[in-house]
Amino acid sequence: MKYLCLVYYSEAEVYSMSKGEWQSLVRECLACGESLRASGHMLGGEALQPVHTATTVRVRNGKVTTTDGPFAETKEQLAGFYFIEAKDLNDAIQVASRIPPARLGSIEIRPVRDLHAELAPNVE
Amino acid sequence: MTEQTGQDVRQLVDSLYRSESRRVLATLIRVLGDFDLAEEALHEAFRAAVEQWPREGIPANPRAWLVSAGRFKTIDGIRRRARFDASLAEIAERLHSEAVDPASAVEEELEDDRLRLIFTCCHPALPQDAQVALTLREVCGLTTEEIARAFLTSPPTLAQRIVRAKNKIRVARIPYEVPPREALPERLDSVLQVIYLVFNEGYAASSGASLTRCDLTSEAIRLGRLLVELLPEAEAMGLLALMLLHESRRAARTSPEGELILLEAQDRSLWDRDLIAEGVELVTRALQTRRFGRYTLQAAIAAVHAEAPSAAETDWAEIVGLYDVLLKVDPSPVVALNRAVAVAMLNGPEAGLALIDALLDRGLLTDYHLAHAARADLCRRLGRFGEARVAYERALALTRLEPERRFLLRRLEELTQ
């Protein structure tokens, strides 16, 4: 079963860390990725640049509009993701609780959809 | 085969449904891996029993028979539908091959199914109102209408809540398992919260005319007993003790006219001594484990009250001491308020009032009616009637429960006389 673990934290808080704190967090995240690879959970994952580097694209009536942002006024921003394979939700919760920024912000666990299965006939 | 036997069998099946249907369901959910399939299978199994037992006789182990019948009926059903859908054939074959015949399972494993069901219904990934609804529906076997009535919501709203919860269990794949040792404290706490919420909803209905809603308190106690039987953890015993000790005062808690009577004014001869004895025994066992928490401590406090011959002869020093420990485990303003009231009984109203005012000054409990009611009571005892009146009025404006409103109104009237 595949889950996407979305990592959220307050950029304001994390980016005001001292250099030492920041580096030790980065080291921890690298080690976490390694250990998840070793346990066979890790399918992929990346850390993201801060939200002010983001671009939003929309297509309306065939017309593409590009803006900066998202501008949603949220306390926590999306900071990265882990794409994992887990036995079930309890296993995924175990994995999420090992992701270092879980201590600073939160991890949202989303089961992934199987689009092919949704197109298969006789789906209730 | 006489008519009489047919009726006897029907009666037996009815009584089996009452006593065994939840156990059978719990096992069918594990075997079939799906709540809705299991419920369908449960009804098929009981229907088959009514048809077959008069002809074939009553099986030696009716519960195992029901589980087997439910499983086979479901596999048959899926196979029939599979003629039109090849993907179902695979599911039917998998169910057929992987599940060991449940009739051969050991008793212990079947008991575990009931625990699995409880932990799944109370999984913290589900919203709490859904945990409550699902537990009452699946573990207690209440109907959607009964649960909706108890919680003053509409049946469609409640049904929707249950459908969503089952959907999340399936889609997010919440496993059907008893949590491992390291996850047990958090997961057990979630179960205890659900049970206590059901109890409180029944004991002091948060709104409405009646002060107690009997069936919810007895469902909660039933759940508490089941949990202690299946998983005798200290806090499970503590919660059951707490509920029993509260329940023991039911008859003394309201007057024949339905008016609220406070602990200090209750006729203690009306307290149920059997429930108290059972509660005290459970608290003692829970305290001995040294792994107890807030439920056990609250039960220990309730036990001190239960064993006191009158309010004046209560061991208030012991109660304050227990609140001190409770406050360390559960540093909430409500616990601090209760401790303040106990301090007032031990060291006089002035001491208690100072603590309550300190809480209110910190902006805590500003909207909690019992904080103002407690303040009013202490002011009244100190002869500060003006302040007492203001506090009673504040409490009155905040409470939603009719008997509490009437109680506060009576106190206000006494002040003006």
Side-chain angles (χ1 to χ4, degrees):
Chain A
M1 177 86 176
K2 294 184 177 69
Y3 298 87
L4 187 63
C5 297
L6 297 159
V7 179
Y8 288 88
Y9 56 57
S10 154
E11 285 183 358
E13 213 173 280
V14 169
Y15 285 95
S16 63
M17 280 180 174
S18 72
K19 196 173 177 204
E21 286 173 321
W22 174 255
Q23 284 183 340
S24 89
L25 181 62
V26 170
R27 263 192 289 275
E28 257 193 279
C29 289
L30 286 170
C32 171
E34 273 316 304
S35 105
L36 290 180
R37 251 182 289 278
S39 62
H41 285 104
M42 189 78 156
L43 299 173
E46 300 292 343
L48 301 178
Q49 294 289 350
V51 78
H52 72 80
T53 65
T55 305
T56 300
V57 174
R58 290 185 180 83
V59 180
R60 295 289 181 276
N61 302 320
K63 190 167 163 279
V64 178
T65 45
T66 307
T67 52
D68 64 337
F71 288 121
E73 285 292 317
T74 49
K75 234 179 90 218
E76 296 183 336
Q77 292 79 29
L78 183 64
F81 65 90
Y82 289 75
F83 189 38
I84 62 163
E85 175 72 41
K87 188 160 70 67
D88 51 41
L89 185 64
N90 285 359
D91 191 23
I93 290 171
Q94 276 295 317
V95 169
S97 67
R98 282 155 60 191
I99 296 174
R103 299 196 308 265
L104 307 165
S106 56
I107 317 292
E108 179 179 328
I109 304 173
R110 296 281 288 267
V112 304
R113 282 162 62 191
D114 180 348
L115 294 181
H116 289 293
E118 289 178 22
L119 284 181
N122 286 311
V123 170
E124 281 161 299
Chain B
M1 198 29 251
T2 65
E3 195 56 26
Q4 184 59 40
T5 340
Q7 277 209 343
D8 286 350
V9 169
R10 191 170 282 270
Q11 267 179 12
L12 175 77
V13 172
D14 279 349
S15 93
L16 268 176
Y17 190 85
R18 278 191 298 277
S19 64
E20 300 290 336
S21 73
R22 298 299 109 190
R23 288 172 206 253
V24 175
L25 177 74
T27 298
L28 283 171
I29 295 172
R30 172 169 57 81
V31 173
L32 298 170
D34 184 271
F35 275 71
D36 290 334
L37 273 184
E39 265 165 58
E40 227 174 277
L42 177 73
H43 291 111
E44 289 286 334
F46 275 93
R47 191 174 312 146
V50 173
E51 282 169 16
Q52 293 177 29
W53 291 1
R55 275 199 316 271
E56 296 164 14
I58 289 145
N61 184 345
R63 193 201 304 170
W65 188 97
L66 288 162
V67 172
S68 288
R71 171 172 164 259
F72 282 121
K73 295 267 173 201
T74 302
I75 295 171
D76 277 356
I78 295 176
R79 275 185 183 148
R80 244 176 289 123
R81 274 177 270 167
R83 278 187 239 140
F84 309 100
D85 179 355
S87 69
L88 285 176
E90 201 184 310
I91 297 175
E93 285 328 299
R94 184 172 51 76
L95 279 178
H96 185 71
S97 61
E98 83 184 5
V100 197
D101 184 1
S104 67
V106 283
E107 190 70 7
E108 198 176 295
E109 195 183 356
L110 297 180
E111 287 298 290
D112 275 356
D113 285 335
R114 298 211 287 172
L115 256 189
R116 288 189 184 100
L117 181 58
I118 293 172
F119 277 106
T120 305
C121 290
C122 298
H123 198 286
L126 300 171
Q128 195 171 49
D129 54 5
Q131 294 177 33
V132 170
L134 205 56
T135 302
L136 289 173
R137 178 84 191 79
E138 309 298 331
V139 184
C140 301
L142 298 192
T143 64
T144 307
E145 287 72 24
E146 285 170 327
I147 304 166
R149 206 178 317 125
F151 285 89
L152 310 174
T153 46
S154 73
T157 308
L158 204 105
Q160 170 83 319
R161 211 174 278 169
I162 292 177
V163 167
R164 284 225 179 108
K166 283 181 185 165
N167 188 48
K168 181 162 185 182
I169 290 173
R170 188 167 35 232
V171 171
R173 200 180 289 179
I174 292 177
Y176 199 57
E177 66 182 20
V178 177
R181 201 78 224 170
E182 68 273 12
L184 197 58
E186 189 212 352
R187 297 289 310 279
L188 180 63
D189 200 49
S190 165
V191 174
L192 298 175
Q193 270 182 43
V194 165
I195 298 176
Y196 199 37
L197 213 128
V198 172
F199 181 81
N200 278 327
E201 189 65 28
Y203 191 71
S206 60
S207 56
S210 162
L211 198 65
T212 54
R213 276 190 249 138
C214 216
D215 17 16
L216 283 184
T217 54
S218 57
E219 283 307 327
I221 288 173
R222 223 156 58 88
L223 275 170
R225 285 191 199 285
L226 176 64
L227 191 64
V228 168
E229 179 197 321
L230 297 172
L231 192 73
E233 286 287 311
E235 279 290 87
M237 292 191 270
L239 174 61
L240 177 57
L242 179 61
M243 294 191 295
L244 293 171
L245 290 165
H246 278 315
E247 182 67 9
S248 73
R249 299 183 209 142
R250 175 198 288 283
R253 204 170 159 253
T254 43
S255 72
E257 297 78 37
E259 300 301 324
L260 179 69
I261 303 171
L262 291 189
L263 184 63
E264 57 182 36
Q266 288 175 10
D267 174 359
R268 296 182 182 220
S269 71
L270 294 175
W271 288 1
D272 186 323
R273 292 293 146 191
D274 291 338
L275 291 181
I276 290 175
E278 194 188 348
V280 168
E281 200 254 341
L282 280 162
V283 180
T284 314
R285 264 169 69 200
L287 287 170
Q288 278 163 355
T289 64
R290 310 225 145 259
R291 279 178 289 122
F292 55 83
R294 60 200 163 107
Y295 291 112
T296 304
L297 286 164
Q298 289 177 74
I301 292 165
V304 177
H305 286 300
E307 290 178 319
S310 70
E313 291 162 278
T314 303
D315 188 347
W316 290 106
E318 170 81 13
I319 289 184
V320 171
L322 286 165
Y323 271 120
D324 287 339
V325 184
L326 180 57
L327 208 50
K328 279 192 198 115
V329 178
D330 178 14
S332 78
V334 172
V335 172
L337 172 68
N338 288 327
R339 181 180 172 275
V341 173
V343 167
M345 295 304 288
L346 181 65
N347 298 329
E350 208 131 1
L353 191 59
L355 292 171
I356 295 178
D357 284 345
L359 284 167
L360 287 170
D361 285 347
R362 279 159 60 203
L364 304 164
L365 303 174
T366 320
D367 295 326
Y368 187 54
H369 66 283
L370 292 179
H372 298 282
R375 181 171 203 284
D377 188 52
L378 296 182
C379 287
R380 182 181 58 88
R381 283 198 240 169
L382 287 166
R384 287 155 62 173
F385 297 125
E387 279 177 82
R389 192 168 302 120
V390 174
Y392 275 130
E393 277 161 2
R394 182 95 187 91
L396 202 53
L398 289 168
T399 183
R400 287 179 297 151
L401 201 60
E402 195 47 40
E404 280 186 357
R405 282 180 48 81
R406 289 201 300 271
F407 172 81
L408 292 166
L409 275 173
R410 274 206 311 282
R411 278 286 155 97
L412 256 178
E413 276 163 24
E414 284 163 19
L415 274 183
T416 27
Q417 273 159 17

